[in-house]
Amino acid sequence: MISDAPVRLAVFDFDGTSIRGNSPVLLVRHLVRKRMLPPSVVVRILLWAVAYKLRLPQNESWVRCLVFRAFARKPVREVDQFLRDFYDSTVERRFRTQADEAMHQHTEAGEVVVVVSATFEPLVLRAMESHSFQYQISTRMKVAADETYTNEVEGLPVEGARKLSAVREFANAQFGEDGWKLAFAYGDHHSDRSILQAAETAYAVNPDRPLARMARRCGWPVLRWR
């Protein structure tokens, strides 16, 4: 019997939730060690990071453009392989066992697991090969006509409130406007609040202080993942 019930989505943030740490920060460190970013660019990235920590308004596209200067005008296949290798050597070991288990449980329950992230798409695509999520929505960089990367973001970074709108756009296209519901959402940072508020069931994973306060107000379970 074919069910016409809406598809139930379980949406996971990536950095700080599914993995321990922040993959763009780890990538910048990796690029600095390999001397793939000039010092002037590194200083500008660090200044952006300080302002972000202070919760000052920031241009999310701008900082991703700075990071991707390391890859501008390089072939897409070469850069994607570099990022896959970086994921394997540095990020994979940070994938939280509890996140993997939760994704598997949602899959077993018939829910569709989606990872949504501001990080660069090749990193999340690599993670998808080893973990129990079926779809991903992440930040994509523009590709030039000669199949090399530019250092421009395609569209908008999947950050903050953009995560919720990106999930809606994806799900409407994939399942139809009435064919899905946001059943579960997992996030660790106060910038995840929009997608957590939209979910039927929200989980704050090792939340920062603003998100912890919001979780208490909203009655969201707080998960302490190692």
Side-chain angles (χ1 to χ4, degrees):
M1 177 182 249
I2 299 175
S3 171
D4 57 1
V7 171
R8 292 169 59 79
L9 302 185
V11 175
F12 287 72
D13 169 55
F14 189 67
D15 293 300
T17 302
S18 300
I19 70 165
R20 176 174 49 85
N22 183 293
S23 58
V25 171
L26 296 169
L27 177 60
V28 168
R29 291 174 182 167
H30 186 67
L31 295 174
V32 169
R33 285 195 295 270
K34 288 185 168 291
R35 299 185 178 180
M36 293 175 65
L37 286 173
S40 60
V41 170
V42 174
V43 169
R44 292 162 74 187
I45 292 171
L46 291 174
L47 291 173
W48 184 95
V50 170
Y52 183 81
K53 285 282 188 184
L54 296 173
R55 301 179 205 158
L56 300 175
Q58 291 295 301
N59 186 323
E60 297 289 345
S61 293
W62 180 80
V63 72
R64 282 156 183 80
C65 293
L66 284 178
V67 175
F68 238 70
R69 281 197 180 187
F71 305 121
R73 296 182 296 280
K74 292 184 179 179
V76 168
R77 290 181 64 179
E78 177 186 318
V79 175
D80 286 356
Q81 188 59 56
F82 179 95
L83 292 173
R84 287 167 63 88
D85 292 343
F86 164 73
Y87 177 88
D88 290 345
S89 66
T90 306
V91 182
E92 170 60 22
R93 65 177 179 265
R94 293 171 170 269
F95 207 101
R96 297 186 192 274
T97 301
Q98 297 93 332
D100 219 11
E101 291 171 349
M103 291 176 180
H104 181 72
Q105 289 167 5
H106 284 299
T107 300
E108 289 293 299
E111 286 119 22
V112 172
V113 179
V114 182
V115 166
V116 59
S117 176
T119 198
F120 299 109
E121 185 179 59
L123 299 178
V124 189
L125 287 174
R126 181 57 169 165
M128 192 162 64
E129 296 178 20
S130 305
H131 299 282
S132 299
F133 57 99
Q134 293 79 51
Y135 297 99
Q136 65 84 34
I137 308 165
S138 52
T139 299
R140 182 177 294 173
M141 303 302 288
K142 284 184 180 178
V143 176
D146 62 356
E147 291 298 310
T148 60
Y149 272 115
T150 71
N151 67 324
E152 298 177 27
V153 176
E154 184 177 302
L156 294 171
V158 187
E159 170 72 20
R162 174 63 187 155
K163 289 182 179 179
L164 178 57
S165 58
V167 167
R168 285 175 172 157
E169 290 167 9
F170 157 79
N172 286 341
Q174 187 74 28
F175 308 113
E177 290 190 13
D178 298 319
W180 64 280
K181 62 173 58 179
L182 181 51
F184 301 92
Y186 296 75
D188 72 299
H189 191 263
H190 63 272
S191 63
D192 297 322
R193 59 186 179 273
S194 295
I195 202 162
L196 293 173
Q197 286 176 307
E200 292 180 345
T201 303
Y203 294 99
V205 179
N206 298 357
D208 63 6
R209 288 182 180 178
L211 184 59
R213 290 194 296 268
M214 188 168 195
R216 287 194 295 271
R217 290 198 304 270
C218 297
W220 298 337
V222 172
L223 305 179
R224 297 295 178 185
W225 286 353
R226 294 187 301 277

